Amino acid sequence: MAAFERGVKFASLVRAVPAVRVVTTYRREWLVKDLTAGLVLTTLLVPQGMAYAELAGLPAITGLYTSVLCLLGYAVCGPSRILVLGPDSSLGPMIAATTVPLLAADGDPDRAVALASMLAIMVAGIMILASAARLGFVADLISKPTMIGYMNGLALTILIGQLPKLFGFDVDADGLIEESAAVVEALADGETVAASAAVGIGGIVLILVLQRWLPKVPAVLVAVVAAMAAAAALDLAEHGVSLVGELPEGLPPLTVPDVRLDDLAPLCAGALGIALVSLADTVSNASAFAARTGQEVRGNQEMAGVGAANLAAGLFQGFPVSTSGSRTAVAERAGARTQLTGVVGATLIVLMLVLVPGLFRHLPQPLLAAVVITASLSLADVPGSVRLWRQRKAEFLLSVAAFLGVALLGVLPGIALAVGLSVLNVFRRAWWPHDAVLGRAEGVEGFHDIRSYPGAEQVPGLVVYRFDAPLFFANAKTFRDEVLRLARSDPRPRWIVLAAEPMTDVDTTAADVLEELDATLNAGGVHLVFAELKDPVRHKIERYELTRTIDPHHFFPTIESAVTAFRAQ
């Protein structure tokens, strides 16, 4: 009995702390592969972490702090064996959009870090609570078309926002349109620093060429090394090129972010948007890599793992993180087998900060802009937009609306608009669903839409009608109007048979409409008949006492049996 209880406790511990399962099932032959993958991954983590920190409006060093702590947090609590978390290009603009309006005019970097760290802690709280409440389905609130439009708008926003750093000047503008105009004006006025532009544009070209033609070569690392070598050899700082400079030594202490009480409400709004995007990224990336490795996706535990990663980052001067498909793919190609890969990456970053903090002092800022711009290009999905245009114009328009929302309203309003459009699109489909009059087509079993089979036979005096949606308050009157139109058709039918299999629900509003509809039809000598109605819906109709007006004998298990009964009359 005691052994059984110990087994139950151990199983509970494994479920709560996935790292225990990894440690107890680890194989020695995985060690070399995890160590190698961790080394390869670090070459990407460092420059991207620094670049995405500056994208979020924070000091570059915070990107390294964030990378270390989130990797360790997810290694302990994350269920996926190889999923890699870290600073993300899609979250950077959202973090900046949340924290920058709360900063004073001087943009105090310490206050910016505190705000971003509190934002990470809030995201962690949302993720962990959502995991406990099993709310993983919330990721489905953003449809693919609206996500494509949102990401396209985000990519353009990031691209325009990085151009001043790329060309070596500053602009004072808010919003995509104002910022675009300011960039064009600065370029026209000759404010470009030639050396900065050369480094930035050269970095973009080098990264894209290597990614296209030599995908196994770490393109970002090659660009970083080349830019640092050029900065040191050509003394680019004297030619007006901004450099990262000396990084602080070591790791920050455990810190509870010090923010004002009136900051919490806007931070909470930003945290909700970031959590939603992070959740969508996590579910999609976890599903994609789990399918390739044969693992099972545990969405709610993934949320807990991402929450733990954000909490760890937030307590050590970090900012919100998400999963990264590109870095996970790098780890996978390098042979990663477990989360030891991430632990190795975190350890190497710590060693760098402790032993060689000046390693990146010659790294040009325009090269970091190049890293961000190339990452933003991967966010855009132009082929997906073209496919939507060809396949379904309505969803293409949804995508365009989400794009314009981000481009014109801003990143956070854009994500709210994307969610709203997705929900409204679902509501629209349920409000005006597909419907059809059915007939018997020659050579095909069953009853089919007469629009698809114009020669389909219909029984005189009987109309078979299908309404492809549950009946509820929003579409009940649409349904009623269509049935009344059929009842007034010439020749006038005596029965209208509802092919009710798609009606998965009938709410109380729809029940009242059905009762009034049946009474109206009966007064005109037309009977409402149900076929293929699901038992749970039939029980609801009986509970609503609709059988007081609808004849209980007018419910049939199949359309064929309803037609047979009509012929018998």
Side-chain angles (χ1 to χ4, degrees):
M1 187 67 179
F4 175 75
E5 290 179 353
R6 285 196 298 271
V8 171
K9 289 180 179 178
F10 180 75
S12 300
L13 180 62
V14 168
R15 286 194 297 271
V17 186
V20 176
R21 182 179 66 253
V22 173
V23 171
T24 55
T25 61
Y26 197 85
R27 302 178 187 174
R28 282 186 296 179
E29 60 265 27
W30 292 347
L31 182 59
V32 173
K33 293 182 178 180
D34 279 340
L35 292 175
T36 304
L39 178 61
V40 173
L41 183 62
T42 306
T43 65
L44 192 62
L45 291 172
V46 173
Q48 283 193 344
M50 297 168 69
Y52 296 161
E54 296 202 344
L55 176 63
L58 301 167
I61 186 63
T62 59
L64 301 184
Y65 298 158
T66 301
S67 298
V68 169
L69 273 305
C70 76
L71 288 171
L72 296 178
Y74 188 82
V76 173
C77 300
S80 172
R81 284 187 176 271
I82 66 168
L83 210 59
V84 177
L85 271 72
D88 189 71
S89 57
S90 64
L91 298 189
M94 301 181 74
I95 297 168
T98 304
T99 59
V100 169
L102 302 178
L103 297 175
D106 58 356
D108 180 12
D110 291 335
R111 176 162 160 74
V113 171
L115 290 169
S117 297
M118 179 58 74
L119 193 59
I121 292 172
M122 287 183 168
V123 171
I126 292 169
M127 284 290 200
I128 292 171
L129 288 175
S131 173
R134 301 186 178 278
L135 297 179
F137 67 90
V138 173
D140 298 332
L141 286 177
I142 307 182
S143 66
K144 184 67 178 291
T146 49
M147 180 56 88
I148 288 175
Y150 172 77
M151 286 299 181
N152 286 342
L154 192 62
L156 182 60
T157 301
I158 293 172
L159 175 64
I160 298 299
Q162 291 299 303
L163 289 181
K165 186 189 293 186
L166 189 79
F167 290 113
F169 54 73
D170 294 318
V171 297
D172 184 14
D174 292 323
L176 181 65
I177 295 177
E178 288 186 15
E179 198 165 8
S180 300
V183 169
V184 171
E185 184 178 351
L187 291 173
D189 291 343
E191 296 182 21
T192 301
V193 177
S196 292
V199 171
I201 295 173
I204 292 174
V205 172
L206 180 59
I207 292 171
L208 293 179
V209 168
L210 290 177
Q211 288 177 341
R212 175 67 178 84
W213 299 108
L214 296 171
K216 292 186 178 181
V217 174
V220 173
L221 177 63
V222 171
V224 166
V225 172
M228 289 195 301
L234 303 176
D235 197 12
L236 292 181
E238 292 297 319
H239 293 81
V241 178
S242 297
L243 304 179
V244 169
E246 197 87 14
L247 296 177
E249 184 177 342
L251 287 175
L254 175 68
T255 306
V256 177
D258 182 16
V259 299
R260 295 195 290 260
L261 190 61
D262 56 356
D263 293 332
L264 296 181
L267 286 175
C268 185
L272 286 170
I274 291 170
L276 182 58
V277 172
S278 180
L279 175 58
D281 275 348
T282 299
V283 171
S284 61
N285 286 324
S287 300
F289 286 98
R292 285 151 60 170
T293 59
Q295 288 183 260
E296 178 186 354
V297 178
R298 297 186 292 276
N300 292 306
Q301 198 165 19
E302 286 290 357
M303 283 192 290
V306 176
N310 276 282
L311 180 62
L315 291 174
F316 289 88
Q317 298 184 24
F319 51 86
V321 298
S322 180
T323 57
S324 169
S326 61
R327 275 164 285 186
T328 303
V330 167
E332 183 188 46
R333 286 197 301 268
R337 291 293 181 269
T338 69
Q339 285 297 328
L340 180 59
T341 296
V343 174
V344 171
T347 303
L348 291 175
I349 295 174
V350 171
L351 290 175
M352 184 201 75
L353 291 174
V354 172
L355 302 178
V356 282
L359 181 62
F360 291 96
R361 65 181 181 275
H362 291 302
L363 179 60
Q365 291 283 2
L367 194 279
L368 291 181
V371 171
V372 172
I373 287 173
T374 54
S376 73
L377 296 178
S378 67
L379 293 177
D381 188 1
V382 176
S385 300
V386 173
R387 178 174 55 83
L388 289 174
W389 170 258
R390 290 174 178 170
Q391 295 178 351
R392 192 157 184 168
K393 298 296 191 295
E395 295 198 344
F396 172 78
L397 293 176
L398 281 175
S399 179
V400 170
F403 169 82
L404 294 175
V406 178
L408 301 179
L409 302 179
V411 175
L412 290 177
I415 190 63
L417 180 64
V419 173
L421 288 173
S422 295
V423 173
L424 284 175
N425 191 37
V426 173
F427 192 73
R428 178 188 63 82
R429 291 176 181 175
W431 193 356
W432 295 303
H434 178 270
D435 62 350
V437 174
L438 309 181
R440 193 192 301 277
E442 184 177 353
V444 184
E445 291 187 3
F447 291 79
H448 301 275
D449 189 344
I450 61 174
R451 287 170 295 195
S452 300
Y453 295 88
E457 176 191 358
Q458 293 181 265
V459 178
L462 178 143
V463 173
V464 181
Y465 175 62
R466 190 183 68 215
F467 189 77
D468 294 338
L471 274 181
F472 67 113
F473 66 93
N475 64 18
K477 293 182 180 178
T478 302
F479 167 81
R480 177 201 63 191
D481 293 343
E482 186 60 26
V483 171
L484 289 175
R485 186 189 67 79
L486 292 172
R488 292 191 295 266
S489 61
D490 188 24
R492 195 176 185 87
R494 297 196 302 277
W495 275 23
I496 295 179
V497 177
L498 298 179
E501 186 177 16
M503 291 184 184
T504 54
D505 191 21
V506 175
D507 71 1
T508 54
T509 302
D512 291 341
V513 170
L514 277 176
E515 186 173 12
E516 295 171 4
L517 175 63
D518 187 61
T520 302
L521 292 175
N522 289 340
V526 182
H527 297 287
L528 193 61
V529 178
F530 290 83
E532 301 180 344
L533 190 66
K534 298 180 185 301
D535 287 343
V537 184
R538 171 72 184 270
H539 295 156
K540 287 182 180 179
I541 284 178
E542 292 173 349
R543 192 162 61 248
Y544 298 150
E545 298 182 346
L546 285 180
T547 48
R548 292 177 306 177
T549 56
I550 300 176
D551 190 337
H553 295 98
H554 284 171
F555 291 87
F556 295 91
T558 64
I559 299 174
E560 188 66 51
S561 60
V563 173
T564 300
F566 176 77
R567 291 181 187 274
Q569 281 196 350

